[in-house]
């Protein structure tokens, strides 16, 4: 974990983009994000997290970052999954705000401008995928998983799987990340006494690459993880320093 600041500290908002074998989407990511940055509500950079890709994603990310001064990357030694990639992104981010989007291009970076104003009143703002373009079976799995998670966590979030979120970086860094915990980000912010807001965002069909999710990690994995969250919720330490003479 990087403890000293890096170039992201020169920006107000950092977009983390976890990437695992998405070579066919890199060019579209570059076009969308490079067009969004000048339109962002804040001075914004992008941090790509190459999560051990075995295709040409890594070299294409390097080339893309060479072309754009606001594009940065870190590379994982091996594939660790979305929660590991997000933790690495949070650890290496030093802007005031941080958000993330998937590399599958099923959400639109422009919609960050719908979420960011919410940070004036909340510590965490998540998108809700309006008019989802996934298959009936995939939507059904998601609906079941979201309903069960809401019942177990009480987070009140209707679509925790939406890959478009923004939050305060200091809250993100305090999230206890384990495998599968990316599904519980709103609940983990609530543990810190933060406030959560939900806003509808656009959703598109995947036109390149392949989904990394299947029945196990949409339903069975989250079912087990809910019990881990409930164990954690009872034991979570939340403290606030009111005075210090440290310099």
């Amino acid at each position: 974990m990087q403890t000293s600041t890096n170039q992201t500290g020169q920006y107000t908002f950092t977009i983390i983009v976890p990437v695992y074998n998405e070579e066919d989407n890199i060019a579209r990511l570059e076009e969308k994000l490079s067009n969004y940055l000048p339109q962002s509500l804040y001075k914004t950079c992008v941090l790509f997290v190459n999560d051990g890709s075995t295709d040409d994603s890594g070299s294409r990310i390097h080339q893309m970052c060479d072309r754009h001064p606001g594009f940065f990357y870190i590379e994982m030694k091996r594939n660790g999954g979305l929660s590991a990639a997000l933790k690495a992104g949070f650890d290496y981010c030093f802007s005031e705000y941080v958000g993330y989007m998937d590399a599958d291009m099923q959400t639109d970076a422009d919609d960050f401008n719908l979420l960011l104003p919410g940070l004036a009143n909340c510590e965490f703002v998540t998108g809700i995928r309006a008019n989802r373009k996934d298959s009936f079976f995939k939507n059904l799995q998601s609906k079941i998983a979201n309903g069960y998670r809401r019942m177990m966590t009480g987070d009140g979030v209707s679509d925790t799987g939406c890959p478009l979120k923004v939050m305060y970086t200091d809250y993100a860094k305090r999230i206890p990340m384990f495998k599968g915990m990316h599904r519980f980000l709103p609940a983990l912010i609530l543990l810190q006494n933060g406030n959560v807001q939900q806003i509808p965002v656009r959703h598109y069909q995947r036109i390149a690459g392949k989904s990394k999710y299947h029945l196990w990690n949409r339903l069975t994995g989250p079912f087990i993880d809910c019990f881990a969250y409930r164990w954690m919720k009872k034991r979570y330490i939340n403290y606030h320093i009111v005075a210090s003479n440290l310099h």
Side-chain angles (χ1 to χ4, degrees):
M1 181 178 74
Q2 183 165 359
T3 55
S4 59
T5 189
N6 56 38
Q7 289 153 290
T8 62
Q10 301 171 17
Y11 296 82
T12 305
F13 176 46
T14 300
I15 300 171
I16 296 171
V17 185
V19 178
Y20 177 61
N21 291 349
E22 293 283 1
E23 61 182 8
D24 294 332
N25 281 314
I26 299 299
R28 295 173 61 232
L29 270 172
E30 179 177 12
E31 179 181 12
K32 171 54 68 175
L33 288 166
S34 62
N35 288 336
Y36 168 70
L37 293 194
Q39 309 300 323
S40 177
L41 298 179
Y42 299 108
K43 185 180 180 183
T44 301
C45 66
V46 182
L47 177 60
F48 295 94
V49 182
N50 181 13
D51 186 21
S53 295
T54 56
D55 64 1
D56 198 41
S57 295
S59 63
R60 297 187 188 193
I61 289 171
H62 294 180
Q63 296 166 19
M64 177 171 50
C65 291
D66 287 342
R67 290 190 288 266
H68 301 279
F71 284 18
F72 307 104
Y73 70 85
I74 56 177
E75 291 196 2
M76 309 283 277
K77 184 176 182 179
R78 61 180 64 88
N79 176 245
L82 181 54
S83 291
L86 287 177
K87 174 170 173 50
F90 294 158
D91 286 347
Y92 281 76
C93 176
F94 292 91
S95 54
E96 182 177 3
Y97 307 129
V98 62
Y100 83 88
M101 65 177 289
D102 280 352
D104 59 15
M105 297 300 295
Q106 289 193 259
T107 49
D108 195 324
D110 291 346
D111 287 349
F112 278 120
N113 281 356
L114 300 176
L115 306 185
L116 286 168
L119 293 177
N121 303 303
C122 295
E123 287 73 30
F124 183 96
V125 185
T126 181
I128 303 172
R129 291 168 287 189
N131 302 313
R132 286 186 63 177
K133 305 302 181 182
D134 292 322
S135 68
F136 171 80
F137 185 55
K138 186 174 180 180
N139 285 335
L140 179 62
Q141 294 175 49
S142 180
K143 185 175 181 179
I144 294 171
N146 274 305
Y148 180 76
R149 189 210 70 259
R150 282 197 305 274
M151 178 187 71
M152 292 289 282
T153 66
D155 64 12
V157 174
S158 61
D159 184 17
T160 191
C162 178
L164 210 66
K165 297 175 170 64
V166 299
M167 66 203 84
Y168 280 76
T169 302
D170 57 347
Y171 277 75
K173 287 180 178 291
R174 291 196 297 267
I175 293 173
M177 294 294 285
F178 299 91
K179 287 186 177 180
M181 286 295 103
H182 61 273
R183 305 180 186 94
F184 299 90
L185 291 181
L188 293 167
I189 294 294
L190 292 172
L191 282 185
Q192 301 180 46
N193 297 323
N195 295 307
V196 173
Q197 183 179 357
Q198 305 175 71
I199 294 177
V201 297
R202 291 170 288 182
H203 189 250
Y204 306 97
Q205 289 183 332
R206 177 188 268 274
I207 63 173
K210 295 181 180 180
S211 175
K212 312 305 184 295
Y213 293 95
H214 45 72
L215 184 61
W216 166 260
N217 51 31
R218 279 204 192 95
L219 292 179
T220 311
F223 176 83
I224 296 170
D225 291 340
C226 279
F227 289 97
Y229 169 79
R230 292 192 41 126
W231 179 90
M232 185 186 307
K233 183 176 181 179
K234 292 181 179 180
R235 294 161 177 82
Y236 184 75
I237 296 173
N238 194 17
Y239 69 89
H240 300 276
I241 302 298
V242 296
S244 171
N245 70 341
L246 294 170
H247 300 291

